[in-house]
Amino acid sequence: QVQLVESVGGLVQPGGSLRLSCAASGSIFSIYVMGWYRQAPGKQRELVAAITSGGSTNYADSVKGRFTISRDNAKNTVYVQMNSLKPEDTAVYYCHARLLSVGVINDYWGQGTQVTVSS
């Protein structure tokens, strides 16, 4: 029915930048919120940033001032621009969406993409 497809992450040096995208497709009536979570090995998954269809945003304290989340509602796509990357940003990044499909509200997750920050 609904799928979230993420762009490829990669290896970047400390201080570098990377942009991730996530496109939702399928039978979508309304997207309430889209965002990004990340998980390092052996650690809990944590919220990085989220944005509502109306444009309200929320960021983890650790990324404020460095990451920017945005969306293109016409394309059902969310982006996160990650600047001034630090080694502690290394994680698998997962796209998330809470949306109304055919008569039901559900949470959907992307496949995850590895972001490694290292020199």
Side-chain angles (χ1 to χ4, degrees):
Q1 293 188 335
V2 175
Q3 56 258 342
L4 306 181
V5 179
E6 301 177 24
S7 60
V8 176
L11 173 65
V12 295
Q13 295 185 2
S17 298
L18 189 67
R19 190 187 74 161
L20 301 178
S21 66
C22 172
S25 63
S27 299
I28 300 169
F29 286 80
S30 298
I31 299 177
Y32 298 107
V33 62
M34 295 187 75
W36 294 91
Y37 289 71
R38 66 188 182 188
Q39 187 169 25
K43 301 295 189 295
Q44 295 286 333
R45 187 174 298 187
E46 65 175 353
L47 174 68
V48 177
I51 186 168
T52 69
S53 293
S56 298
T57 59
N58 188 47
Y59 295 93
D61 288 341
S62 60
V63 307
K64 287 180 180 177
R66 299 189 297 122
F67 291 11
T68 303
I69 189 168
S70 61
R71 86 278 182 238
D72 185 335
N73 287 342
K75 297 180 179 179
N76 290 332
T77 299
V78 65
Y79 308 88
V80 59
Q81 177 68 44
M82 304 185 292
N83 297 327
S84 302
L85 283 162
K86 304 174 180 179
E88 50 262 46
D89 295 317
T90 296
V92 176
Y93 283 71
Y94 295 91
C95 180
H96 163 262
R98 176 167 289 174
L99 56 83
L100 174 64
S101 185
V102 182
V104 63
I105 300 171
N106 278 125
D107 292 306
Y108 295 89
W109 295 91
Q111 76 277 13
T113 188
Q114 178 71 45
V115 173
T116 301
V117 184
S118 177
S119 59

Coordinates of all heavy atoms in Angstrom, one line a residue, residues 66-111:
R66 N 22.1 22.9 13.3 CA 22.9 22.2 12.3 C 22.0 21.5 11.2 O 22.4 21.4 10.1 CB 23.8 21.1 13.0 CG 24.7 21.7 14.0 CD 25.7 20.7 14.5 NE 25.1 19.6 15.2 CZ 25.1 18.3 14.8 NH1 25.9 17.9 13.8 NH2 24.5 17.4 15.6
F67 N 20.9 20.9 11.6 CA 20.0 20.2 10.7 C 18.8 21.0 10.4 O 18.3 21.8 11.2 CB 19.6 18.9 11.3 CG 20.6 17.8 11.5 CD1 22.0 18.1 11.3 CD2 20.2 16.5 11.8 CE1 22.9 17.1 11.5 CE2 21.2 15.5 12.0 CZ 22.5 15.8 11.8
T68 N 18.3 20.9 9.1 CA 17.1 21.6 8.7 C 16.2 20.6 8.0 O 16.6 19.9 7.1 CB 17.4 22.7 7.8 OG1 18.3 23.7 8.4 CG2 16.1 23.5 7.4
I69 N 15.0 20.5 8.5 CA 14.0 19.6 7.9 C 13.1 20.4 7.0 O 12.7 21.5 7.4 CB 13.2 18.7 8.9 CG1 12.4 17.6 8.2 CG2 12.4 19.6 9.8 CD1 11.9 16.6 9.2
S70 N 12.7 19.9 5.9 CA 11.8 20.5 5.0 C 10.9 19.5 4.2 O 11.2 18.3 4.3 CB 12.5 21.4 4.0 OG 13.4 20.7 3.2
R71 N 9.9 20.0 3.6 CA 9.1 19.0 2.8 C 8.5 19.6 1.6 O 8.4 20.9 1.5 CB 7.9 18.5 3.7 CG 6.7 19.3 3.8 CD 6.8 20.5 4.7 NE 5.5 21.2 4.8 CZ 5.5 22.5 4.5 NH1 6.6 23.2 4.2 NH2 4.3 23.1 4.6
D72 N 8.2 18.8 0.6 CA 7.4 19.2 -0.6 C 6.1 18.4 -0.5 O 6.1 17.2 -0.9 CB 8.3 18.8 -1.8 CG 7.6 19.3 -3.1 OD1 6.4 19.5 -3.1 OD2 8.4 19.6 -4.1
N73 N 5.1 19.1 -0.1 CA 3.8 18.4 0.0 C 3.3 17.8 -1.3 O 2.6 16.8 -1.3 CB 2.8 19.3 0.7 CG 3.0 19.6 2.1 OD1 3.7 18.8 2.8 ND2 2.4 20.6 2.7
A74 N 3.5 18.5 -2.4 CA 3.0 18.1 -3.7 C 3.7 16.7 -4.1 O 3.1 15.9 -4.8 CB 3.3 19.1 -4.7
K75 N 4.9 16.5 -3.6 CA 5.6 15.3 -3.9 C 5.6 14.3 -2.8 O 6.2 13.2 -2.9 CB 7.1 15.6 -4.3 CG 7.2 16.4 -5.5 CD 8.7 16.7 -5.9 CE 8.8 17.6 -7.1 NZ 10.2 17.8 -7.4
N76 N 5.0 14.6 -1.7 CA 5.0 13.7 -0.5 C 6.4 13.3 -0.1 O 6.7 12.2 0.2 CB 4.1 12.5 -0.7 CG 2.6 12.8 -0.8 OD1 2.1 13.7 -0.2 ND2 1.9 12.0 -1.5
T77 N 7.3 14.3 -0.1 CA 8.7 14.1 0.2 C 9.2 15.0 1.3 O 8.8 16.1 1.4 CB 9.5 14.4 -1.1 OG1 9.1 13.5 -2.1 CG2 11.0 14.2 -0.9
V78 N 10.0 14.4 2.1 CA 10.6 15.1 3.2 C 12.1 15.1 3.1 O 12.7 14.1 2.6 CB 10.2 14.6 4.6 CG1 10.7 13.1 4.8 CG2 10.7 15.5 5.7
Y79 N 12.8 16.1 3.5 CA 14.3 16.2 3.4 C 14.8 16.6 4.7 O 14.2 17.2 5.6 CB 14.7 17.3 2.4 CG 14.0 17.2 1.0 CD1 12.8 17.8 0.8 CD2 14.7 16.5 0.0 CE1 12.2 17.7 -0.5 CE2 14.1 16.4 -1.3 CZ 12.9 17.0 -1.5 OH 12.3 16.9 -2.8
V80 N 16.1 16.2 4.9 CA 16.8 16.7 6.1 C 18.2 17.1 5.5 O 18.9 16.3 5.0 CB 16.9 15.8 7.3 CG1 17.6 14.5 6.9 CG2 17.7 16.5 8.4
Q81 N 18.5 18.4 5.7 CA 19.8 18.9 5.3 C 20.7 18.9 6.6 O 20.3 19.6 7.6 CB 19.7 20.4 4.8 CG 21.1 21.0 4.5 CD 21.8 20.4 3.3 OE1 21.2 20.1 2.3 NE2 23.1 20.1 3.5
M82 N 21.8 18.2 6.6 CA 22.6 18.0 7.7 C 23.9 18.7 7.5 O 24.7 18.3 6.6 CB 22.8 16.5 8.0 CG 21.5 15.7 8.2 SD 21.7 14.0 8.7 CE 22.5 13.3 7.2
N83 N 24.2 19.7 8.3 CA 25.5 20.4 8.2 C 26.3 20.3 9.4 O 25.8 19.9 10.5 CB 25.2 21.9 7.9 CG 24.4 22.2 6.6 OD1 24.6 21.5 5.6 ND2 23.6 23.2 6.6
S84 N 27.5 20.6 9.3 CA 28.5 20.6 10.5 C 28.4 19.2 11.2 O 28.3 19.1 12.4 CB 28.2 21.7 11.5 OG 28.3 23.0 10.8
L85 N 28.5 18.2 10.4 CA 28.3 16.8 10.9 C 29.4 16.5 11.9 O 30.6 16.8 11.7 CB 28.2 15.8 9.8 CG 26.9 15.8 9.1 CD1 27.0 15.1 7.7 CD2 25.8 15.1 9.9
K86 N 29.0 15.7 12.9 CA 29.9 15.3 14.0 C 30.0 13.7 14.0 O 29.0 13.1 13.6 CB 29.5 15.8 15.3 CG 29.3 17.3 15.4 CD 28.7 17.7 16.8 CE 28.5 19.1 16.9 NZ 27.9 19.5 18.2
P87 N 31.0 13.1 14.5 CA 31.1 11.7 14.6 C 29.9 11.1 15.4 O 29.4 10.0 15.0 CB 32.4 11.4 15.3 CG 33.3 12.6 15.0 CD 32.3 13.7 14.9
E88 N 29.4 11.8 16.3 CA 28.2 11.3 17.1 C 26.9 11.3 16.3 O 25.9 10.8 16.8 CB 28.1 12.1 18.4 CG 28.1 13.6 18.2 CD 29.4 14.2 18.5 OE1 30.4 13.7 18.1 OE2 29.5 15.2 19.3
D89 N 26.9 11.9 15.1 CA 25.8 11.8 14.2 C 25.8 10.5 13.5 O 24.8 10.2 12.8 CB 25.8 12.9 13.2 CG 25.6 14.3 13.8 OD1 24.8 14.4 14.7 OD2 26.3 15.2 13.4
T90 N 26.8 9.7 13.6 CA 26.8 8.4 12.9 C 25.7 7.5 13.4 O 25.6 7.2 14.6 CB 28.2 7.7 13.1 OG1 29.2 8.5 12.6 CG2 28.2 6.3 12.5
A91 N 24.9 7.0 12.5 CA 23.8 6.1 12.8 C 23.1 5.7 11.5 O 23.4 6.1 10.4 CB 22.8 6.9 13.7
V92 N 22.2 4.8 11.7 CA 21.2 4.5 10.6 C 20.0 5.4 10.7 O 19.4 5.5 11.8 CB 20.7 3.0 10.6 CG1 19.7 2.8 9.6 CG2 21.9 2.1 10.5
Y93 N 19.7 6.1 9.7 CA 18.7 7.1 9.7 C 17.4 6.5 9.0 O 17.5 6.0 7.9 CB 19.1 8.4 8.9 CG 20.0 9.2 9.8 CD1 21.3 8.8 10.0 CD2 19.6 10.4 10.3 CE1 22.2 9.6 10.8 CE2 20.5 11.2 11.1 CZ 21.7 10.8 11.4 OH 22.6 11.5 12.1
Y94 N 16.3 6.6 9.7 CA 15.0 6.1 9.3 C 14.0 7.2 9.0 O 13.8 8.1 9.9 CB 14.4 5.1 10.3 CG 15.3 3.9 10.5 CD1 16.2 3.8 11.5 CD2 15.0 2.7 9.8 CE1 17.0 2.7 11.7 CE2 15.8 1.6 10.0 CZ 16.7 1.6 11.0 OH 17.5 0.4 11.2
C95 N 13.4 7.2 7.9 CA 12.3 8.1 7.6 C 11.0 7.5 8.3 O 10.8 6.3 8.4 CB 12.1 8.2 6.1 SG 10.7 9.3 5.6
H96 N 10.2 8.4 8.8 CA 8.9 8.0 9.4 C 7.8 8.9 8.9 O 8.0 10.1 8.7 CB 9.1 8.2 11.0 CG 7.7 8.2 11.7 ND1 7.1 9.3 12.1 CD2 6.9 7.2 12.0 CE1 6.0 9.1 12.6 NE2 5.8 7.7 12.6
A97 N 6.6 8.3 8.8 CA 5.4 9.1 8.5 C 4.2 8.6 9.2 O 4.1 7.4 9.4 CB 5.2 9.1 7.0
R98 N 3.4 9.5 9.7 CA 2.1 9.1 10.3 C 1.1 9.7 9.3 O 1.1 10.9 9.1 CB 1.9 9.7 11.7 CG 0.5 9.4 12.2 CD 0.5 9.7 13.7 NE 1.2 8.7 14.5 CZ 1.5 8.7 15.8 NH1 1.1 9.7 16.5 NH2 2.1 7.7 16.3
L99 N 0.3 8.9 8.7 CA -0.5 9.3 7.6 C -1.8 8.5 7.6 O -2.0 7.4 8.1 CB 0.2 9.2 6.3 CG 0.8 7.9 5.8 CD1 -0.3 7.0 5.2 CD2 1.9 8.1 4.9
L100 N -2.8 9.1 6.9 CA -4.1 8.5 6.6 C -4.0 7.9 5.2 O -3.8 8.5 4.2 CB -5.2 9.5 6.7 CG -6.6 9.0 6.3 CD1 -7.1 8.0 7.2 CD2 -7.6 10.2 6.2
S101 N -4.2 6.6 5.2 CA -4.3 5.8 4.0 C -5.7 5.5 3.7 O -6.6 6.4 3.9 CB -3.4 4.5 4.0 OG -3.4 3.9 2.8
V102 N -6.0 4.3 3.2 CA -7.4 4.0 2.9 C -8.2 3.6 4.2 O -8.2 2.5 4.7 CB -7.5 2.8 1.9 CG1 -9.0 2.5 1.6 CG2 -6.7 3.1 0.7
G103 N -8.7 4.7 4.8 CA -9.6 4.5 6.0 C -8.9 4.2 7.3 O -9.5 3.8 8.3
V104 N -7.5 4.3 7.3 CA -6.8 4.0 8.6 C -5.6 4.9 8.7 O -5.0 5.3 7.7 CB -6.4 2.5 8.6 CG1 -5.4 2.2 7.4 CG2 -5.8 2.1 9.9
I105 N -5.3 5.3 9.9 CA -4.1 6.0 10.3 C -3.0 5.1 10.8 O -3.3 4.3 11.7 CB -4.4 7.1 11.3 CG1 -5.4 8.1 10.8 CG2 -3.1 7.8 11.7 CD1 -5.9 9.1 11.9
N106 N -1.9 5.1 10.2 CA -0.8 4.2 10.6 C 0.6 5.0 10.5 O 0.7 6.0 9.9 CB -0.7 3.0 9.6 CG -1.7 1.9 10.0 OD1 -2.5 1.5 9.1 ND2 -1.6 1.4 11.2
D107 N 1.5 4.3 11.2 CA 2.9 4.8 11.1 C 3.7 3.9 10.1 O 3.5 2.7 10.2 CB 3.6 4.7 12.5 CG 3.0 5.7 13.5 OD1 3.0 6.9 13.2 OD2 2.6 5.2 14.6
Y108 N 4.4 4.6 9.3 CA 5.2 3.9 8.3 C 6.7 4.3 8.4 O 7.0 5.4 8.9 CB 4.7 4.2 6.9 CG 3.3 3.8 6.6 CD1 2.2 4.5 6.9 CD2 3.1 2.5 6.0 CE1 1.0 4.1 6.6 CE2 1.8 2.1 5.8 CZ 0.7 2.9 6.1 OH -0.5 2.4 5.9
W109 N 7.6 3.3 8.1 CA 9.0 3.5 8.2 C 9.7 3.2 6.9 O 9.4 2.3 6.2 CB 9.5 2.6 9.3 CG 9.0 2.9 10.7 CD1 7.9 2.4 11.3 CD2 9.6 3.9 11.6 NE1 7.7 3.0 12.5 CE2 8.8 3.9 12.7 CE3 10.7 4.7 11.6 CZ2 9.0 4.7 13.8 CZ3 11.0 5.5 12.6 CH2 10.1 5.5 13.8
G110 N 10.7 4.0 6.6 CA 11.6 3.7 5.5 C 12.6 2.6 5.9 O 12.6 2.1 7.0
Q111 N 13.4 2.2 4.9 CA 14.2 1.1 5.0 C 15.5 1.3 5.9 O 16.1 0.4 6.3 CB 14.7 0.5 3.7 CG 15.7 1.4 2.9 CD 15.2 2.6 2.2 OE1 14.1 3.0 2.4 NE2 16.1 3.2 1.4

